[in-house]
Amino acid sequence: TAFFNTLWPTWALGLYKAFNHALGFLGYWFSGKIIERIGAAYTLIVREVYWFLSQSLALVLSNVLTPILFLTGAPFFGPGQVARDKLMQEEFSDEQRATMGSVASFMGSLVFTVAALAIGAVADHFGLLAGVALGVVMTASSLPFYIWVFRKDFRAAS
């Protein structure tokens, strides 16, 4: 929001958040149909690739269109999350599911903590654009991880 505030007037940030949540709602609403149609593995990959490309372009432009380009990824959030959760549920047995879900959630929280501190430090030292760019790069690093972890699902979908 601090970065977008340098590009849009403050009053428009509320509209951005409202549209972001509305598009996210639609993504969750249709996530089941999307996953049934193209599969969980491909849904996750489409989300990750689209987010990286749209956000990278947005950062290169760094103009009034940047928040809109970020906003275009909102409909992909829900299907991507549901697809990731579905793939994770399929990885674990019934006995492992609760424990591994908790471990995965805990590890995600730790990674987010470190990432947030790093992004904040970079933004403080080099500026908001550099901090957001680091966040985009960190997010993009999850794509190879997902491909490695869910490789059997990608092979089965091919």
Side-chain angles (χ1 to χ4, degrees), residues 102-141:
S102 296
V103 169
S105 177
F106 177 67
M107 292 306 293
S109 296
L110 290 178
V111 169
F112 179 77
T113 300
V114 172
L117 291 171
I119 290 168
V122 167
D124 286 345
H125 195 270
F126 297 104
L128 291 172
L129 181 62
V132 175
L134 177 61
V136 169
V137 169
M138 287 178 164
T139 301
S141 69

Side-chain angles (χ1 to χ4, degrees), residues 32-47 79 157:
K33 291 179 182 177
I34 294 168
I35 292 169
E36 285 175 13
R37 185 166 181 109
I38 65 173
Y42 284 116
T43 302
L44 182 59
I45 292 302
V46 166
R47 180 198 61 183

